[in-house]
Amino acid sequence: MKSYGRLELDRVARRWRITQLAPHVAIAFKRMFPRVPVTSTEIGISDTDEVRADLHWFMSRYPLDHDEWDELDAAVDRLAYRAAERERILLPTWKPGELQGFKEGKAAYLYQTQAAKIAVANGGMLLGDDVGLGKTISAIAALLFGAPMPAAIVVQPHLAGQWKKRIEEFSSLRVHIIKGRTPYDLPEADVYIFKYSNVAGWVDIIKEGLFRSVVYDEVQELRHGYGTSKGAAAGVLSNRAEFRMGLTATPVYNYGDEMHAVMEFVKPDLLGDWSEFIREWCSSGRIVSNPDGLGSFLRDTGYFLRRTEDDPTVDASMPPPNILEWEIDHDLAAVEGEQEIARQLAQTVLRGSFAEAGRAARELDMKMRQLTGIAKARAVAAYVSLLLKDSPRVLLAGWHREVYDIWRDALAPFNPVMYTGSESAAGKQRSVDAFCGGDSRVMMMSLRSGAGLDGLQYYCNDAVVGELDWSPQVHYQFFGRLRRPGQAKQMNAHYLHTNWGSDPVLLEMLGIKADQSRGINDPGIAPKPRMTDESRLKVLAQHVLAGGVS
């Protein structure tokens, strides 16, 4: 049989090497494998089952000399088997059979069991289920259904106690929370809980291979890759583990390139190395050129699973959220004298030099959102006070300290507590305790401070966004604090906005970040209009100069 080149596997580097390709075959190869540089004469490509299957397919047309048919055939068989198993398990009619490990009276929902079974069969996955669908229970189920022990779970600092509580509530697994960054003799346990803030201090212990499984809660914490100390330590943890699972409803916070970093901790090399990923999927630097394509590819591999409340298996578990948008009043007297500063910044954004405009845009964004929050703060508090005539408790989201101060004063009769970036882990827990069964009826939460927080849904079903964020995912994650398993009522999501300041622009322009997240999370759903950070701030500047602060 005619050969068109040579194929070799470097098992140490985990890469394929393709040489001696005929010119027209090299063109065909690079067309099929866009992650390969178009200028390469000797080609290298990451080794995964997906690449092996594609090589197998390619060689049906252009045979290459090699000694790896067994490896390639086995990869094709593994992919086919895993795909068939996923399809079978994800059927709404699938029955998991008898499940061992959960305490009496405790169990996972069917869709949580599905995720756990697929993860164990794969050796891991990125679970991107929507906020509120109980990814924690899915991870616990995976540990009970066969993920090898002992396991490491890496969490945000304020969630370590919550994870321990949930594991012990649902199972008999022995749990130990790692204390501090200085290693010590660990007690025997099935699960060891690290914090992202201390995992780097334990890297020498991690290198010994003690932890056979790893679960990363809110894995978007690792979206900057190996370049941080926690990322470097997590990389060692992933490379030593046999089972890897990431949990997040928002793997992409900004641009789609973050998905590569996240997936490296869950399934290394699935998207190739960094340069391969950029060539295959990205344009204009960090921007994924086809988010829908990337999202579909990740789902098709079986290493990314995401369900929403509309999934047939999930649908019956919880009622949909009740979305309420209200335009409220604003008080210009509260921001008197500040409008002129905003106008000057807006003029610089539109007419200044590149450096001046960039600096002024950042300042304008911060200033306008702050002024808008202050101007409507008392109206927001009045709205919350009315809600509390019928609702036992309200979760209130904001951003600026000056706004919190106004809310705290206006809502003082309801003993408000804080859950923002300023409180310690112990302080956050005291706020949660006061809100959940204590004497506080209002918890003021920073929009970006509640990731992973669980338990509020048993006490509250009204969430109010008092200050808006540019990212719709941030709002959605906030609402997910209440809309999750255990919520006995329909969750009410209140958006409060005014017709002044930054709110009109924020409502209309949620731009490129929303589309990057939407395409990867939910491929095939029509995108919203794309807008870059620079262009949205120019729109804000134009709005200000057109009378948006008058």
Side-chain angles (χ1 to χ4, degrees), residues 177-191:
I177 297 177
I178 302 291
K179 301 175 179 65
R181 296 172 58 90
T182 303
Y184 53 87
D185 290 337
L186 293 173
E188 285 193 15
D190 302 303
V191 178

Side-chain angles (χ1 to χ4, degrees), residues 458-479:
Y458 298 105
Y459 303 92
C460 177
N461 70 308
D462 281 290
V464 175
V465 176
E467 288 191 271
L468 301 178
D469 193 281
W470 286 107
S471 171
Q473 295 298 320
V474 170
H475 297 149
Y476 202 54
Q477 190 167 64
F478 167 67
F479 294 140

